[in-house]
Amino acid sequence: MSQAAPSNQTKRWQEIDARHHLHPFTTHADLAEKGARVITRAEGVYLYDSEGKRLIDGMAGLWCVQVGYGREELAEAGYKALKELPYYNAFFQTTTPYVAELSEKLAEVTPKGIDRFFFANSGSEGNDSAVKAIRYFWNLEGKPSKKIFIARKKAYHGVTMAAASLSGLTSMHPQADLPLPGFVHVDCPDWFAEGGDMTPEEYGLKTAKSLEDKILELGAENVAAFVAEPVQGAGGLIIPPKGYWEEIQRICRKYDILLHVDEVICGFGRTGNWFGSDTFGIEPDMINMAKGLSSGYQPIAALGFGERVGNTLFNSPQEWSHGFTYSGHPVCAAVALANLELIQREKLVEKAGGDTGAYFQKKLAELADHPLVGETRGVGMLGAIELVQDKAARAKFPGDMDVGGQCRNHCFREGLIMRAIGDTMVLSPPLVISQAEIDELFELARRCIDLTAKDLGVL
Ligand SMILES: *Cc1c(COP(=O)(O)O)cnc(C)c1O
């Protein structure tokens, strides 16, 4: 499809941006050549670029815009806070009504036992704070040897030094000489890619056992915590099979390893319940939240503590020497609280776990008959589509063909945002999406997979 030449306004933004702006996860030589896509506004589930082109946002931004774009209530809550108290901090025994009210609301909606919260500005900072909190916990408990963190291959926990060390996407490590010492990775239940002839359940148990093996190798007295997402997001939407989480939970308890669950994607309705921990029956010691906490309208993250760690930290006679200038920022807290109230009022979690989620999963499953699709999988309002060379053998295309990238480019041209993680196409739309919009999303998805298949000579 040919594109009209961009307007002078768009060209100017592309030029100044390419000259002065270092983008996250972007190859800059490439960007300078093509020019960035300029998104200028958004409404509901739709984005609009600087050329007026409309795109349906199948990713809710970066998995975060639960309530959709353009919600007045959130804008107003932020505006009110900006006028009343644009900034004050929570250091040195001070608080604000905004962060106190948000803490109480979080205690209401988070999994049983998670009752106390520390605030940060991003999911990465939440996980870095978790690493510090867990080290401090074991020091206070008189077990200072428990220091090693075990996470999983293909995990994504963010980009700061400790969060990137927890992350198991190996492409993130060499540029910064990571992981730091004391961070190790075990297998993840990516059955589609690695499960071979086993059933998904067998493979799940095998990968859970890799945690136990690693604990025995390191010595439980040296292991602080296991860190994991309920469903692995950025690693390719890896959904654990039945039995996996029960086994992980059993192993953590047996060896007295803390379980820190990264709910940054799964939280706030994404998997059909308030938290991924609810969906998979996990009883975490700590959880990390961001993204859907404010639907992305403001940068805010929260680290939630269960009774065990919470009691120790709260009863410590020492000051906790940690906290950000913007921890519990009043404007971010006000917007997050308005967001949670909106999610409750519109029953978005119930819809994701009910009609909307069921309809989304039904339409997703219909793509499984496509000759290019090796598997579809999903839970709640998350979906993945595996593009493969050979359906029966689950055989992927050679990586350098970048079939996923080709499909994603068709999506952009046709007006759909669908993410490519290798050749795994991923969807995570706003929870407010209507059935008609879900129809539109999947009609475009099928068209773009068709176009990709034609490029490859499959159709
Ligand atoms: C996005 C993400 C993070 C990092 O959050 P940022 O706000 O980008 O720092 C951490 N964990 C998971 C599971 C995520 O998806």
Side-chain angles (χ1 to χ4, degrees):
M1 207 206 258
S2 71
Q3 306 275 96
S7 68
N8 287 337
Q9 175 64 276
T10 297
K11 273 200 293 214
R12 183 181 121 74
W13 282 327
Q14 288 173 332
E15 276 165 23
I16 57 177
D17 182 85
R19 204 175 317 137
H20 300 294
H21 175 194
L22 183 67
H23 288 238
F25 290 98
T26 294
T27 308
H28 279 78
D30 234 26
L31 175 79
E33 196 181 304
K34 289 188 204 136
R37 188 172 304 99
V38 185
I39 301 295
T40 49
R41 67 188 180 87
E43 188 63 42
V45 300
Y46 296 102
L47 300 165
Y48 296 85
D49 74 10
S50 55
E51 299 295 294
K53 183 181 170 61
R54 187 177 93 154
L55 299 130
I56 185 164
D57 187 2
M59 281 304 294
L62 284 174
W63 329 73
C64 56
V65 189
Q66 319 298 73
V67 299
Y69 298 94
R71 304 306 301 260
E72 282 294 322
E73 296 94 322
L74 272 62
E76 260 156 31
Y79 182 59
K80 186 164 167 285
L82 277 165
K83 284 199 298 185
E84 259 173 32
L85 184 67
Y87 174 71
Y88 205 70
N89 62 75
F91 282 41
F92 319 133
Q93 312 207 359
T94 303
T95 195
T96 70
Y98 304 98
V99 71
E101 300 279 353
L102 176 61
S103 302
E104 185 192 36
K105 176 60 76 181
L106 281 173
E108 177 195 328
V109 300
T110 48
K112 192 166 144 278
I114 304 288
D115 211 25
R116 292 146 159 163
F117 305 92
F118 170 80
F119 293 93
N121 313 295
S122 70
S124 302
E125 291 175 3
N127 280 326
D128 264 58
S129 301
V131 168
K132 289 179 74 176
I134 290 168
R135 288 190 166 182
Y136 179 33
F137 169 80
W138 287 120
N139 288 339
L140 285 169
E141 293 286 290
K143 295 188 175 171
S145 69
K146 283 178 89 69
K147 286 292 152 59
I148 300 173
F149 287 80
I150 305 180
R152 293 179 298 180
K153 293 169 186 165
K154 302 187 191 179
Y156 186 76
H157 298 296
V159 295
T160 48
M161 292 295 277
S165 295
L166 288 170
S167 295
L169 293 161
T170 48
S171 59
M172 292 173 62
H173 291 154
Q175 289 178 356
D177 307 312
L178 296 174
L180 295 171
F183 292 85
V184 301
H185 299 89
V186 295
D187 292 337
C188 68
D190 186 357
W191 173 81
F192 186 82
E194 285 150 15
D197 293 335
M198 293 185 168
T199 66
E201 289 73 20
E202 285 165 354
Y203 191 65
L205 292 178
K206 177 166 184 267
T207 54
K209 185 162 184 302
S210 75
L211 171 61
E212 186 159 27
D213 293 346
K214 185 56 83 178
I215 293 169
L216 291 172
E217 175 196 322
L218 297 167
E221 70 282 8
N222 298 317
V223 179
F226 179 61
V227 179
E229 305 150 84
V231 172
Q232 287 176 254
L237 206 76
I238 301 164
I239 302 176
K242 268 203 184 52
Y244 175 80
W245 268 110
E246 287 88 332
E247 185 62 5
I248 292 288
Q249 187 88 59
R250 183 191 71 75
I251 294 166
C252 289
R253 289 214 179 103
K254 177 168 178 194
Y255 297 100
D256 198 22
I257 308 298
L258 291 178
L259 178 55
H260 171 54
V261 175
D262 188 346
E263 293 270 7
V264 169
I265 286 176
C266 293
F268 308 102
R270 185 51 68 191
T271 66
N273 291 287
W274 271 96
F275 289 88
S277 293
D278 303 324
T279 300
F280 296 97
I282 308 165
E283 291 174 18
D285 290 298
M286 287 166 54
I287 63 174
N288 185 34
M289 299 162 269
K291 297 192 170 127
L293 169 57
S294 67
S295 282
Y297 279 53
Q298 288 287 297
I300 183 168
L303 182 58
F305 299 94
E307 222 179 310
R308 184 177 181 197
V309 181
N311 283 346
T312 298
L313 297 194
F314 273 62
N315 293 328
S316 168
Q318 299 171 39
E319 161 179 306
W320 192 25
S321 303
H322 181 70
F324 304 100
T325 300
Y326 300 138
S327 284
H329 191 289
V331 178
C332 304
V335 171
L337 181 60
N339 173 60
L340 299 184
E341 287 169 351
L342 189 60
I343 289 175
Q344 288 185 317
R345 196 160 62 246
E346 297 191 344
K347 300 200 182 320
L348 296 181
V349 177
E350 291 81 353
K351 284 180 181 160
D355 288 355
T356 310
Y359 193 70
F360 177 80
Q361 293 300 330
K362 173 174 164 274
K363 299 296 287 188
L364 174 71
E366 284 171 14
L367 287 172
D369 68 3
H370 195 284
L372 201 57
V373 174
E375 175 185 84
T376 63
R377 58 177 178 270
V379 58
M381 295 297 283
L382 287 168
I385 304 157
E386 293 281 357
L387 305 181
V388 293
Q389 195 159 35
D390 181 340
K391 273 173 94 96
R394 308 206 303 269
K396 301 200 178 197
F397 289 98
D400 59 2
M401 286 177 70
D402 193 19
V403 171
Q406 289 180 50
C407 183
R408 180 197 51 218
N409 292 342
H410 281 301
C411 290
F412 278 128
R413 283 191 287 264
E414 298 294 322
L416 167 67
I417 307 273
M418 181 155 69
R419 180 156 165 182
I421 300 172
D423 296 342
T424 310
M425 306 309 295
V426 174
L427 291 164
S428 169
L431 306 185
V432 292
I433 193 168
S434 70
Q435 292 206 350
E437 290 160 345
I438 291 174
D439 288 340
E440 182 191 345
L441 188 161
F442 281 104
E443 201 182 296
L444 288 172
R446 182 175 286 272
R447 187 188 307 162
C448 296
I449 297 169
D450 279 348
L451 289 167
T452 310
K454 279 192 190 120
D455 294 344
L456 294 165
V458 176
L459 269 188

